[in-house]
Amino acid sequence: MSEPTPVRVRPEIAALPVYRQGRQAGAEAFKLSSNENPFEPLPHVVDALRDTTAVNRYPDASASRLRARLAERFGVTVDEVHIGAGSVSILSQLILAVSGPGDEIVYPWRSFEAYPGLVVVGGADRVEVPLAADGRHDLTAMAAAVTERTRAIIVCSPNNPTGPVVTQAEFDAFLRSLPDDLLVILDEAYAEFVTAPDAVDGLRELGVVRPNVVALRTFSKAYGLAGLRIGYAVGHRRVLDAARATAIPLSVTAQAEVAALASLDAEDELRDRVRIIAERRDRIAAGLRDAGWCIPDAQGNFVWLPTGAETTDAAATFDGAGLIVRAFPGDGLRISIGEEESVDTVLRIAASVVEGLPEDHPARRLA
Ligand SMILES: Cc1ncc(COP(=O)(O)O)c(C=O)c1O
């Protein structure tokens, strides 16, 4: 125990759990706990990084080359693109830009574990809307949770950690049911892994920016740059200006920008890798169902096992087999799609875990 401090920390901050990162894996273990990309960086990206050595200089504050590149790609203006040190930092900026004490932010739960903390730090109240039983957003309940105090609503598609998408038709109807001054944040961190043809795609219509919708994307997952911290938003210029105003200046490094540009140059190769990960995911999901698991549709680079009260024990079983997975005690386990060499062990251990669950456990497929 450390000595108490006389410093007065905001009580809601003192009560906040510290962000828990997926555990690091030992040399023999597979780290399947942080939804990272298992492939090593492309040589072309490493070369570009090697050439970016002027670390005695500050980076270009607005990452203008990457903004221009993304603007061209999505048919929008440069002002309708914003770059952040990971998409989570843009999420934080947006929340700070639109809300403060007395306001509310609505989001699905369970979803990305950073949401509650970001809302509390900004001073607004959290409004968590439970997912439906199949791990999908309950958009009707989310729309019904909107009050005069609501400033933003977050949609996470595919939902981390459960996996299903929101469909384009559902999203469009949802938007129509909301007040038009409400900011809708569409968090699409895993969009590139989606294979469901009817999934929402916040960047589907070239050149179309809806005035109250911001789509968030990242280079951390499909592009394999998690360690460099770079993500982007596409949305209305005024909304993004407000986010830019809350940003910590110069937090996107030149290395991150250069690596993102190099990744866009090597997009075909990266898309091949994404295809491999999505196929591996589908194979794992099918194997889990064959073994008797009842799991939600997996559209990201992870699968969800709704182990409920058995979660901690199940995580220990995976751990014992050298598989570091993410446990949400009382709720379920999320297993990232990792190296091909991890697949057989994942399926073997998962089969033994499901056999040990009570017959009437919701995670067991009904015969
Ligand atoms: C749903 C979701 N949004 C955002 C992020 C943050 O990604 P980034 O690395 O771009 O900050 C994650 C990362 O796990 C995520 O799962």
Side-chain angles (χ1 to χ4, degrees):
M1 274 283 281
S2 56
E3 290 294 306
T5 169
V7 173
R8 283 169 295 179
V9 174
R10 281 165 56 195
E12 67 276 24
I13 301 296
L16 209 55
V18 177
Y19 181 80
R20 274 194 322 129
Q21 191 179 19
R23 267 190 38 219
Q24 298 300 324
E28 298 298 306
F30 290 103
K31 182 169 181 252
L32 308 177
S33 52
S34 294
N35 292 349
E36 293 153 334
N37 191 316
F39 289 99
E40 288 186 357
L42 290 171
H44 170 71
V45 173
V46 175
D47 288 346
L49 281 170
R50 207 173 281 127
D51 293 341
T52 312
T53 52
V55 292
N56 52 318
R57 303 289 179 195
Y58 285 114
D60 165 7
S62 76
S64 52
R65 285 199 300 151
L66 182 59
R67 281 171 78 194
R69 181 76 174 270
L70 292 170
E72 190 190 334
R73 174 187 183 136
F74 298 119
V76 298
T77 67
V78 169
D79 291 331
E80 290 164 334
V81 180
H82 173 43
I83 311 293
S87 60
V88 70
S89 66
I90 304 180
L91 188 61
S92 162
Q93 292 160 15
L94 289 166
I95 289 171
L96 292 174
V98 299
S99 65
D103 298 329
E104 293 172 347
I105 306 289
V106 174
Y107 55 87
W109 197 251
R110 174 170 293 276
S111 191
F112 181 33
E113 60 268 38
Y115 295 158
L118 295 180
V119 175
V120 171
V121 169
D125 293 330
R126 298 173 283 182
V127 179
E128 297 183 343
V129 179
L131 297 173
D134 53 2
R136 293 167 50 86
H137 286 39
D138 184 344
L139 292 172
T140 309
M142 286 177 68
V146 171
T147 70
E148 304 189 321
R149 295 169 57 202
T150 313
R151 292 290 167 270
I153 191 158
I154 305 174
V155 171
C156 185
S157 179
N159 188 53
N160 172 14
T162 55
V165 293
V166 168
T167 70
Q168 187 72 50
E170 286 169 341
F171 186 73
D172 292 342
F174 181 60
L175 282 188
R176 286 193 295 274
S177 74
L178 298 174
D180 58 12
D181 62 352
L182 184 64
L183 173 63
V184 180
I185 302 171
L186 178 58
D187 184 345
E188 300 186 283
Y190 303 96
E192 295 84 357
F193 298 103
V194 171
T195 48
D198 57 352
V200 65
D201 178 349
L203 303 176
R204 186 181 47 129
E205 293 169 279
L206 270 191
V208 175
V209 169
R210 303 203 217 200
N212 65 329
V213 180
V214 172
L216 288 183
R217 296 276 177 106
T218 181
F219 285 95
S220 297
K221 311 292 179 181
Y223 294 85
L225 300 181
L228 282 168
R229 314 303 303 124
I230 186 153
Y232 61 96
V234 177
H236 193 281
R237 174 207 166 136
R238 295 277 172 231
V239 178
L240 297 188
D241 280 347
R244 288 185 264 267
T246 72
I248 294 173
L250 299 160
S251 52
V252 178
T253 65
Q255 284 73 14
E257 184 184 15
V258 160
L261 285 163
S263 301
L264 291 172
D265 288 339
E267 190 134 41
D268 288 349
E269 262 176 286
L270 286 169
R271 290 278 169 178
D272 286 345
R273 291 174 163 199
V274 165
R275 216 168 297 122
I276 291 169
I277 294 170
E279 280 166 13
R280 198 173 289 166
R281 170 200 70 204
D282 291 347
R283 198 160 20 100
I284 291 175
L288 291 169
R289 292 193 178 101
D290 286 348
W293 283 96
C294 184
I295 58 165
D297 188 27
Q299 291 288 320
N301 62 343
F302 51 88
V303 290
W304 172 249
L305 303 183
T307 38
E310 270 67 45
T311 298
T312 308
D313 287 350
T317 307
F318 280 99
D319 205 287
L323 302 172
I324 313 297
V325 301
R326 179 68 75 97
F328 299 97
D331 212 349
L333 287 182
R334 189 192 67 201
I335 307 179
S336 307
I337 307 305
E339 294 79 355
E340 178 61 32
E341 295 73 29
S342 67
V343 173
D344 285 350
T345 320
V346 166
L347 289 175
R348 184 168 51 81
I349 300 303
S352 75
V353 169
V354 77
E355 284 206 352
L357 294 177
E359 286 287 327
D360 58 349
H361 194 286
R364 292 192 84 149
R365 180 179 282 289
L366 299 173

